[in-house]
Amino acid sequence: ELAISGNIDYLATLTGVEKDSIVGCLRDFVRSRSPYAKTATWDGEVYIDANDNKTSSTFTLDDPNGTIVTIVVDGAAGKISAM
C-alpha cells in the first residue's frame, strides 16, 4: 500500500478533484512503474496551464531512484493521469 505524504487536500481543492482520485491515480502508476516505492511525497507546487485548462503537480517516490511522478488534471475532460 502506497502512503501519501503532504497535505494533498489543498491540491484536491485547487484542482476540483477528489483526494481519493489523486491517491488512486498515484497508486495505479506506482503499482505498474515503481513497485518498490512505499511513499509518495507531494512536492507542494502546482502548475496551472490556463490556456489548456490543465493543472499538474509532482510527487517524489521513495524508491531507489527518487522517481518523480507528475499528476495532470485535465479540467476540460475531467480526467486525471500520471506520468
Side-chain angles (χ1 to χ4, degrees):
E1 183 87 9
L2 183 71
I4 308 298
S5 176
N7 182 8
I8 64 168
D9 290 326
Y10 181 77
L11 177 61
T13 300
L14 183 66
T15 58
V17 174
E18 295 290 325
K19 179 179 172 180
D20 290 343
S21 296
I22 296 169
V23 172
C25 185
L26 280 167
R27 286 183 177 153
D28 289 346
F29 180 89
V30 169
R31 191 176 299 120
S32 67
R33 303 278 178 92
S34 186
Y36 298 109
K38 300 294 179 205
T39 303
T41 301
W42 183 42
D43 297 332
E45 298 174 348
V46 178
Y47 176 75
I48 299 170
D49 183 341
N51 292 326
D52 283 339
N53 196 14
K54 292 182 180 176
T55 307
S56 61
S57 193
T58 55
F59 290 78
T60 302
L61 304 181
D62 68 344
D63 64 357
N65 296 321
T67 302
I68 296 175
V69 181
T70 301
I71 294 290
V72 178
V73 177
D74 185 333
K79 294 184 179 182
I80 183 171
S81 60
M83 60 179 165

